[in-house]
Each structure stands twice: as structure tokens, then as C-alpha cells.
Amino acid sequence: MDHIDPNTPPSGTGCVECLATDDGWWFHLRRCAQCGHVGCCDSSPSQHASRHAADASHPVVQSFEPGEDWLWDYTSEQLLEGPVLAPPRHHPLDQPVPGPAGRVPADWESQLN
Ligand SMILES: [Zn+2]
Ligand SMILES: [Zn+2]
């Protein structure tokens, strides 16, 4: 299937770009189905998952939240059926939502998009 490589593991446990800054935080996480890039969702302040999809021309993501396994195509704006991606399928269960621990501002709900 185009834009999906089920053998590529996720890049890590949190948003790549948020973790590269001193104060980035996210609401929910999305995993690029093609290269494994983990980014933050469109409700998060920085929307790194959709920015990666556009910048890298990798339009398909899977939720990286526990208990969720849907695939989303940013190009067609539709849910997709697809293969099971390489584990881990979600961020660690002890990682808070929003995350990461220690960075989420008290008024985080008012900062969502
Ligand atoms: Zn981010
Ligand atoms: Zn990618």
C-alpha cells in the first residue's frame, strides 16, 4: 500500500520536534505510517504530525494513543484500512496525556487548537 511501511518502528515515545525544544508539549500523538516519525496531533499547539505529513509527503498517520489503531490520510481526509504496523503501537502507558511529564502548562486546555 502506498505511503505505509509496516516494518518501520516508531521514532520514539514522543513528538520528535517537541522533544527537540525546551518547552514543547502535545495533546495526542500520531505516528507516520511510512517512516515512523512520531508527531503531535492537530489539537496540539505545534501540529507537528500534519506538518511532517506535508513536508515529507508522507500523508498517512496512525494514532499513537493506547487503544487506538486507526489510520488517517491527510490528503483524502479519510480513515484507511491498512496493515498492522511494527510495535510499539502506542506511547508508554505511564506517559501522561497531555505530555510529556513536567512540561504541560496549567492552562493547557485553553491552548489547544
Ligand atoms: Zn510536536
Ligand atoms: Zn514520515
Side-chain angles (χ1 to χ4, degrees):
M1 185 178 246
D2 283 354
H3 300 301
I4 297 177
D5 180 354
N7 300 311
T8 303
S11 60
T13 59
C15 174
V16 173
E17 287 87 355
C18 283
L19 290 175
T21 69
D22 291 332
D23 58 359
W25 61 274
W26 56 78
F27 182 41
H28 286 150
L29 294 170
R30 306 290 179 244
R31 164 196 185 167
C32 175
Q34 191 163 347
C35 74
H37 171 277
V38 174
C40 48
C41 72
D42 282 348
S43 296
S44 303
S46 300
Q47 305 179 319
H48 288 123
S50 58
R51 283 166 57 178
H52 169 81
D55 291 348
S57 297
H58 291 171
V60 181
V61 292
Q62 185 169 56
S63 177
F64 203 50
E65 296 300 316
E68 297 184 353
D69 62 357
W70 46 263
L71 291 153
W72 175 258
D73 185 334
Y74 285 108
T75 304
S76 65
E77 298 190 323
Q78 288 184 334
L79 293 169
L80 297 181
E81 299 284 335
V84 175
L85 304 183
R89 306 278 308 280
H90 55 75
H91 66 73
L93 292 174
D94 61 358
Q95 182 171 294
V97 177
R103 286 197 191 176
V104 182
D107 65 343
W108 64 270
E109 283 179 283
S110 69
Q111 296 190 36
L112 296 180
N113 289 301

